[in-house]
């Protein structure tokens, strides 16, 4: 897990929403209340520790009833918050925004993981995340049973189509990469380039927009050249809940799906006083 100052980031999230001050909540008395956050639908909870921290920044007391990774049903209480009424309401939207997004990602990830018949095949997130939220998005994927892949560009070389387009050739770019890095991933669009990448020592080969039939053909070709065991194979592009089972049956090691973070549907949750 990438080390980061969550309190600082969450404070910035609050400041973005509050501006110069919550003028509506300032009209309230300093009454002390207890509120609760409930889920209005079936979900996997993710982000609960960050929601807790948001309320604590404003001096509220929080009791967690459902930890990250827990399954919740409609109307179940996830956490309770006790403190000044105005401060709780000031934090409400920021906490819910992050909690519902992360829970949506975790839930969607888990639903896809369950559809993969081969349990050796892992579901990976991509870098298709909301700017400023990548650490939270990727953590939610992990809570849902997926893998994070790269958090940042400095973690591993990934040679994609546009890198190849501005280079002399795929082969020359791979050879240049091998001189500096032991592990690297290469995106390919056909079986011929997959074989080339495997021969040249790629660690992971991304089969971009391959159909399940094309993937099986590529795996057969790699096996016939005694190259299959040298690399991890990743299927990516056009993979949805409707066809992920078919991709899982091909024998790939990794399935990456951008929609779990870039098209997430937040879980319906609310704060009740």
């Amino acid at each position: 897990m990438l080390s980061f100052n969550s309190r600082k980031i969450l404070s910035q999230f609050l400041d973005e929403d509050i501006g110069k001050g919550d003028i509506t909540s300032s009209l309230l008395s300093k009454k002390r209340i207890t509120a609760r956050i409930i889920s209005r639908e079936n979900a996997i909870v993710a982000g609960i520790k960050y929601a807790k921290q948001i309320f604590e920044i404003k001096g509220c007391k929080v009791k967690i009833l459902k930890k990250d990774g827990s399954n919740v049903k409609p109307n179940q209480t996830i956490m309770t918050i006790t403190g000044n009424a105005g401060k709780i309401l000031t934090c409400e939207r920021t906490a819910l925004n992050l909690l519902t997004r992360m829970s949506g990602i975790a839930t969607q990830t888990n639903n896809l993981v369950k559809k993969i018949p081969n349990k050796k095949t892992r579901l990976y997130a991509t870098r298709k995340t909301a700017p400023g939220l990548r650490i939270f998005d990727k953590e939610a994927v992990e809570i849902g049973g997926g893998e994070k892949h790269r958090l940042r560009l400095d973690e591993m070389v990934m040679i994609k189509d546009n890198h190849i387009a501005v280079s002399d050739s795929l082969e020359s770019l791979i050879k240049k990469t091998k001189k500096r890095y032991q592990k690297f991933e290469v995106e390919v669009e056909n079986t011929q380039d997959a074989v080339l990448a495997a021969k040249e020592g790629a660690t992971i080969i991304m089969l971009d927009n391959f159909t399940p039939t094309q993937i099986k053909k590529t795996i057969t070709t790699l096996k016939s050249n005694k190259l299959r065991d040298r690399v991890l194979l990743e299927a990516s592009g056009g993979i949805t809940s409707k066809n992920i089972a078919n991709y899982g049956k091909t024998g790939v090691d990794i399935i990456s799906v951008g929609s779990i973070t870039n098209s997430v549907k937040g879980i319906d949750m609310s704060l009740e006083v």
Side-chain angles (χ1 to χ4, degrees):
M1 179 63 187
L2 184 68
S3 176
F4 73 111
N5 186 337
S6 60
R7 186 180 180 88
K8 180 180 178 180
I9 294 174
L10 297 173
S11 293
Q12 291 172 345
F13 290 171
L14 272 173
D15 290 343
E16 177 187 60
D17 194 36
I18 294 170
K20 294 180 180 180
D22 181 356
I23 57 177
T24 307
S25 293
S26 68
L27 300 173
L28 303 175
S29 67
K30 295 183 179 180
K31 183 178 179 180
R32 188 175 177 85
I33 63 169
T34 295
R36 65 190 183 114
I37 291 179
I38 64 170
S39 177
R40 297 194 179 278
E41 58 183 309
N42 293 315
I44 291 190
V45 175
I48 196 71
K49 63 183 179 183
Y50 299 122
K52 177 178 183 286
Q53 203 168 6
I54 288 169
F55 287 108
E56 289 177 339
I57 288 170
K58 292 300 182 181
C60 303
K61 299 292 184 181
V62 176
K63 182 178 181 180
I64 294 174
L65 301 179
K66 294 291 182 180
K67 295 181 179 179
D68 282 340
S70 299
N71 288 280
V72 292
K73 297 178 181 180
N75 299 315
Q76 279 194 312
T77 301
I78 298 170
M79 67 190 301
T80 59
I81 311 102
T82 302
N84 176 278
K87 290 183 178 180
I88 289 177
L89 298 182
T90 293
C91 297
E92 174 184 0
R93 182 43 50 197
T94 302
L96 283 174
N97 282 351
L98 189 58
L99 184 60
T100 57
R101 178 182 175 85
M102 288 186 68
S103 296
I105 291 171
T107 302
Q108 187 175 343
T109 298
N110 191 255
N111 289 338
L112 290 178
V113 168
K114 288 178 179 177
K115 291 178 181 291
I116 300 174
N118 179 7
K119 299 310 173 185
K120 291 183 179 179
T121 301
R122 304 296 295 167
L123 180 68
Y124 275 61
T126 70
R127 284 175 42 252
K128 294 178 181 178
T129 57
L133 292 176
R134 179 168 299 166
I135 291 174
F136 302 100
D137 285 358
K138 295 269 193 169
E139 185 170 333
V141 167
E142 195 169 58
I143 290 169
E147 305 283 345
K148 296 175 182 175
H149 214 315
R150 295 187 302 171
L151 273 170
R152 303 186 314 198
L153 291 171
D154 61 1
E155 291 189 4
M156 187 181 73
V157 173
M158 181 184 287
I159 299 172
K160 295 178 68 67
D161 56 349
N162 284 335
H163 299 118
I164 299 167
V166 297
S167 301
D168 294 331
S169 67
L170 171 60
E171 185 174 1
S172 65
L173 185 53
I174 290 177
K175 288 183 181 299
K176 184 177 182 180
T177 301
K178 283 171 63 178
K179 292 178 181 179
R180 297 179 60 183
Y181 303 98
Q182 291 183 329
K183 297 181 179 181
F184 58 96
E185 180 168 358
V186 178
E187 176 185 280
V188 301
E189 296 179 351
N190 56 65
T191 299
Q192 181 181 348
D193 284 346
V195 171
L196 171 63
K199 283 182 177 179
E200 292 297 329
T203 310
I204 306 173
I205 297 175
M206 179 194 291
L207 307 175
D208 185 44
N209 285 303
F210 280 48
T211 66
T213 299
Q214 290 172 322
I215 290 174
K216 290 178 182 178
K217 176 186 174 183
T218 300
I219 290 176
T220 298
T221 302
L222 289 171
K223 285 181 176 178
S224 67
N225 285 277
K226 297 182 173 21
L227 296 170
R228 174 63 181 99
D229 293 337
R230 293 188 188 182
V231 296
L232 294 176
L233 293 179
E234 174 181 346
S236 183
I239 300 174
T240 68
S241 62
K242 294 181 179 179
N243 62 22
I244 193 169
N246 291 331
Y247 279 91
K249 293 174 183 177
T250 62
V252 291
D253 306 288
I254 299 166
I255 295 175
S256 58
V257 181
S259 64
I260 55 178
T261 52
N262 78 346
S263 303
V264 60
K265 177 183 178 296
I267 299 299
D268 186 4
M269 296 178 177
S270 65
L271 183 143
E272 305 289 335
V273 176

